[in-house]
Amino acid sequence: MDLIIMGESKWMGKRWEEMDTDVLVKIFKELNLVELSPVSQVCRLWRLACSDPLIWGTLDFGLLKSNFIQTRASPYIWVDDRSDKRLAKILRVAMAISRGNVNCMIFHYNLYMKDEHLHYISQRSPNLKRLVMPAWNRISRAGICQAIERWGELESLTMPTIGHPPYIMEGLANSCKNFKELKIMGSFDLLFASAVTTYLPKLKVLSLRCSKVTMGALQCVLNSLEHLEVLNISHCLLFEMATNGRRQVIHELDNKALERASRLREFHHCQSRQCVACQRMMLDEGILRWYRYEDWFWRRDEVRSLDLKDYGRLFGAQCEMLTSVD
């Protein structure tokens, strides 16, 4: 409301620095990470509003990728130094503004962090409950174990196939007492299944979507995880080794497996030759080459709580371009 008093114009509303925090949070939710950075430095009230949990509940870096080339030697990836520095800078800004209020963190399957990146975010996001990190090539065993120890409230993890899974399953069992959801992207054999059933017997949700799964591993899960409520094997390449040593692909589950799965609250499975996702799995021989397909394809999951839906506003396409490496 504008009032003209003695030739002067006066505003009866509040000034920006006096606005209610709730109002500021609603406004700042529309900004991305690059825009929030200078806004958070305006004044103490604005910085407080910029770090509100409603803004930072989910930090989705699903569009952020490393500039890399594949190599023949371990870790089979070489990442450009500028790409590492870019990631470190983005993480510093995000952690500084969020002030420990991030509950869910999502990374792209082509974002190759190092131990120092993981160490930095694990120190500054103590309340993390969900981590989606499909690429571990450059992360050491000590690095991931140290991070897991700090994330005592972690409930959900999306991870790649690793060579020796028992250590990470044991770490989750020892440090994350409320852990209940696990998603594996890659392959799932009897060793992996045994590690899960041994250390995470109370696991409630398991997704193996678009993975290469042995029938022995599937049977182990169905027989041993008594508390399991939801299992997703949609578009998996299921196989077993025949007596002649050759791999035999399974296109239909037998009655015994279906009977065991019937006790679950949700059982998602699809091994259809007419399904596009299943066709892709057959074409890629069980190890899906995600880069060949739509950008959103890797984010989907038939389990609602694991589906990543659309990219978040905090690091959308515009933000990705503004922070790109020349």
Side-chain angles (χ1 to χ4, degrees), residues 130 156 181 205 230 301-309:
R130 183 183 184 189
S156 175
E181 288 187 340
V205 179
V230 180
D301 200 289
E302 286 73 17
V303 180
R304 181 177 297 181
S305 61
L306 291 173
D307 189 84
L308 297 179
K309 304 178 177 62

Side-chain angles (χ1 to χ4, degrees), residues 77-104:
I77 289 293
W78 176 87
V79 178
D80 179 29
D81 185 58
R82 294 177 302 170
S83 186
D84 279 339
K85 290 179 178 178
R86 175 200 184 198
L87 175 59
K89 181 179 180 180
I90 291 172
L91 292 176
R92 283 198 300 270
V93 173
M95 295 298 100
I97 303 175
S98 62
R99 301 173 70 179
N101 286 318
V102 178
N103 291 323
C104 171

Side-chain angles (χ1 to χ4, degrees), residues 279-289 292-293:
Q279 290 172 3
R280 291 174 175 179
M281 282 294 293
M282 293 295 293
L283 179 65
D284 291 343
E285 299 181 336
I287 302 298
L288 210 59
R289 291 161 176 80
R292 292 181 174 179
Y293 309 115

